């Protein structure tokens, strides 16, 4: 049981590839930090691992099966800028409903654990702060019962107290459900606290 990426290459039109031949394997229950030089394309790789971008070459497999392109994603991405995760035209209740029943027991329990207030559900994304949106982002990601999470600098914009609170709640779910976790962070202390292993990616893999 693993999230596996093999021979991943990606580049934008008219430019050299950001990376070539990247290979990665993250087992269920494992927490892996990705380390690479600035400009490597870590955010792009995170989006490939979670199915938002197609690689030019290579494949992503989830527990031995190709990463599905439709339905609830078994690999959920926690975005560095959470406003990018939500349709700006939809109120938060509708956005959360994309992952499951908002009034259901699972959603209520997650909202309580991550501090998502009832009043926020009637608001549009721009009416919430970055910290409030990230709480909603974590709730929605966990509602679908993912096998793996990809956290791309997910709490970098938040204050230290909020970061600690959200990571504590997130890791409780990760451990309880034996999820695999891929993380990118420029905070050595956070990586040391969260990751069980660090993978160093060469600038031109």
């Amino acid at each position: 049981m693993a999230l596996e990426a093999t021979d991943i290459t990606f580049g934008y039109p008219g430019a050299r590839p950001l990376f070539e031949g990247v290979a990665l394997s993250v087992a269920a229950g494992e927490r892996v930090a990705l380390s690479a030089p600035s400009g490597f394309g870590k955010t792009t790789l995170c989006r490939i691992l979670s199915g938002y971008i197609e690689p030019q070459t290579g494949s992503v497999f989830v527990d031995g099966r190709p990463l599905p392109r439709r339905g609830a994603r078994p690999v959920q991405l926690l975005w560095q800028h959470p406003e990018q995760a939500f349709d700006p035209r939809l109120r938060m209740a509708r956005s959360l409903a994309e992952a499951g029943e908002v009034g259901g027991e699972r959603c209520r329990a997650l909202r309580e654990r991550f501090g998502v207030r009832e009043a926020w559900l009637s608001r549009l994304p721009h009416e919430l702060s970055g910290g409030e949106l990230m709480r909603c982002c974590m709730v929605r990601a966990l509602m679908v019962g993912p096998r793996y999470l990809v956290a791309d600098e997910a709490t970098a914009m938040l204050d230290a107290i909020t970061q600690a609170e959200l990571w504590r709640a997130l890791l409780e779910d990760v451990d309880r459900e034996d999820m695999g976790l891929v993380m990118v962070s420029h905070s050595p202390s956070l990586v040391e606290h969260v990751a069980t292993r660090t993978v160093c990616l060469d600038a031109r893999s």
Side-chain angles (χ1 to χ4, degrees):
M1 304 288 278
L3 172 63
E4 297 176 293
T6 58
D7 195 30
I8 300 295
T9 296
F10 185 86
Y12 292 99
R16 291 181 61 191
L18 285 170
F19 42 79
E20 298 178 88
V22 169
L24 178 69
S25 180
V26 179
E30 192 176 24
R31 307 173 190 167
V32 175
L34 301 183
S35 174
S38 178
F40 172 86
K42 294 185 290 294
T43 289
T44 299
L45 181 57
C46 285
R47 294 183 183 186
I48 289 173
L49 291 174
S50 50
Y52 285 93
I53 296 177
E54 291 270 4
Q56 290 174 330
T57 68
S59 303
V60 178
F61 289 86
V62 180
D63 299 338
R65 297 182 178 182
L67 184 66
R69 299 300 173 188
R70 294 183 178 180
R73 298 174 187 267
V75 183
Q76 286 288 314
L77 177 62
L78 300 176
W79 304 67
Q80 178 178 2
H81 301 287
E83 65 276 8
Q84 296 177 356
F86 296 101
D87 187 327
R89 302 163 298 179
L90 297 184
R91 301 195 181 274
M92 299 310 298
R94 290 221 20 220
S95 288
L96 291 182
E98 293 175 349
E101 187 181 348
V102 175
E105 183 178 344
R106 181 172 180 82
C107 182
R108 288 199 304 269
L110 286 168
R111 282 169 43 205
E112 181 177 352
R113 192 146 65 246
F114 285 90
V116 173
R117 300 176 184 173
E118 184 77 23
W120 301 352
L121 300 183
S122 62
R123 297 178 187 174
L124 294 168
H126 76 269
E127 297 176 311
L128 298 179
S129 70
E132 291 166 349
L133 281 175
M134 181 51 68
R135 292 172 189 272
C136 293
C137 193
M138 289 181 172
V139 167
R140 186 172 68 172
L142 293 170
M143 279 175 67
V144 301
R147 296 297 304 129
Y148 302 89
L149 288 176
V150 178
D152 178 23
E153 290 282 3
T155 59
M157 303 299 181
L158 309 180
D159 63 84
I161 293 176
T162 303
Q163 283 195 47
E165 176 191 350
L166 292 185
W167 272 108
R168 184 165 52 249
L170 187 65
L171 291 179
E172 286 178 1
D173 270 78
V174 166
D175 290 344
R176 184 185 307 109
E177 303 297 333
D178 199 34
M179 294 181 215
L181 173 69
V182 178
M183 68 178 298
V184 173
S185 176
H186 291 295
S187 169
S189 61
L190 182 61
V191 169
E192 183 179 2
H193 175 70
V194 173
T196 57
R197 178 165 65 96
T198 297
V199 172
C200 296
L201 302 168
D202 185 83
R204 296 293 168 193
S205 298

